[in-house]
Amino acid sequence: MMLIRSRRLRATQALRDLVAETDLRPRHFIQPYFVQAAEGVSPIGSLPGIARTGIEATCDQVEADLKKGLRSVLLFGVPEGKDPDAHGAHDPEGIVPKAVTELKKRFGQDLVVMTDVCLCAYTDHGHCGLVKDGVVVNDESAALLAEMALVHARAGADLVAPSDMMDGRVAAMRVRMDEEGFQNTGILSYAIKHAGAYYGPFRDAADSSPKFGDRRTYQMDPRNAREGLRDALLDLEEGADVLMVKPALPNLDLVYRLRDACHAPIFAYHVSSEFSSVKAASERGWVDGDALMLQHLLAIRRAGADAIVTYAGREALQKGWVD
Ligand code: PBG
Ligand code: ZN
C-alpha cells in the first residue's frame, strides 16, 4: 500500500497553484535601460527586444512599463565621449544624471531608479577602473566611483549600484554621499560578480569591452564560492543596503547561501548571455523560448532572490508570466 502519493497535489492547475512555493510578481522585476545621448531608439542586435534609448524614449518606455506594474529600473549610460580617466562618469551633465533627473521629474516616487556605477563605458581602454602602468588601480578608482555615485545621488537616484569590483568602493561611496548630505541614497552592491563569458551581449550594448587584457584582476574567480560570500558580507559592513549576485543561474548556490548568511535583501542579475542564449536558441526553433525564460526566472526566485534584474522583465509582464 502506498500512503503517500505526491501526484495527488499535482492533479489540477488549481491544486498545483494552491501548493506552489514560488511566485513571480511585477515587483520582483528590475528592467535594465541603456541610455544614449542621441534621441530615439537604437535596437541592440545581441539583445533581442532591447534597445539603447535617448532620454525622451527612455521616459516613454518607462511610462508604458509602469502601466504594466514594472516599477524599478537600472540605468546604464552609453556616453558619446571616452577618455583614459573617465571624466564623463562623474559629469553632472552626463547622460545618466540627466536621465535620472528627467525620470524623477516625470514619475517621482512611483518609480525606483537605480544607476549602475562603473567606469568601463567611460574609459577609452574599457576597464572598470583607472589604469596606471597597465594595472587597474584600486583606491584611485574607488575614489572616482564615489564621485560618480555622488553625481547620481544628486540627480535623485534611489539606489546607486557599483559593478566595478574595486575593494572598498562601497565604503568610499557611503562616506562620500553622507558627507554631501545624501544619507538616504541606498547602495545596491554587485557583491558577488564573477569574471567570465557571460557579459558579451551587454558589452556590445554598452560598448564597454576591455581593449587589453580581461577583468580577472578585479572580478571574482568563477571557481570560488567562499570568496564571494566573504566579500558580500564585507560589503554589508561597508554599508551596502542590498546585495546582488551575478550571473544568476551559474550562481544559484551563492544566492541560496547568501540568503542564509545574512538578512539583507538579495537581488540576482539574470545577465545578457543568460537572456540572449534563450533568444538565440528559440529563434532556431530548438527551444520554447518563453517557457525556458520563465523557468530561468522561477529558479532564481526559488533560490532566494528577492528581485531579479532581467532583460525579460517587460516581456514577463506583457506575456502574463506573473502571478
Ligand atoms: C559594468 C557591467 C557589466 C554588466 C553589468 N555592469 C559588464 C561587465 O562587467 O563587463 C553585465 C551585465 C550583463 O551582462 O547583462 N561593469
Ligand atoms: Zn565595468
Side-chain angles (χ1 to χ4, degrees), residues 24-26 28-34 47-48 50 65 70 72-74 76 190 244 248-249 267-276 278-279 293-294 296-298 300-301 307-317 321-322:
L24 269 180
R25 293 172 173 275
H28 296 136
F29 293 105
I30 300 161
Q31 183 70 38
Y33 277 85
F34 296 96
L47 286 170
I50 304 296
D65 289 351
L70 187 40
S72 301
V73 299
L74 175 60
F76 294 94
Y190 286 72
M244 186 144 73
L249 294 178
F267 294 176
Y269 198 143
H270 182 242
V271 301
S272 55
S273 287
E274 300 180 87
F275 171 85
S276 295
V278 172
K279 292 293 181 191
M293 197 77 83
L294 172 58
H296 276 197
L297 300 171
L298 282 170
I300 297 165
R301 283 274 302 142
I308 310 170
V309 178
T310 174
Y311 303 96
R314 177 175 308 126
E315 202 176 332
L317 268 62
W321 301 344
V322 289

Side-chain angles (χ1 to χ4, degrees), residues 142-164:
L144 198 64
L145 288 155
E147 295 307 316
M148 184 178 185
L150 177 60
V151 165
H152 294 181
R154 269 211 179 96
D158 295 286
L159 297 168
V160 292
S163 67
D164 54 285

Side-chain angles (χ1 to χ4, degrees), residues 35 75-91 93-97 115-130 144-145 148 151-152 206-209 215:
V35 191
L75 304 185
F76 294 94
V78 189
E80 279 187 317
K82 299 172 190 277
D83 62 45
D85 302 321
H87 280 107
H90 52 98
D91 177 1
E93 298 295 313
I95 187 71
V96 169
T115 57
D116 188 82
V117 176
C118 195
L119 305 185
C120 53
Y122 299 85
T123 50
D124 55 7
H125 47 70
H127 277 290
C128 302
L130 299 171
L144 198 64
L145 288 155
M148 184 178 185
V151 165
H152 294 181
D207 185 23
S208 63
S209 290
R215 304 214 197 287

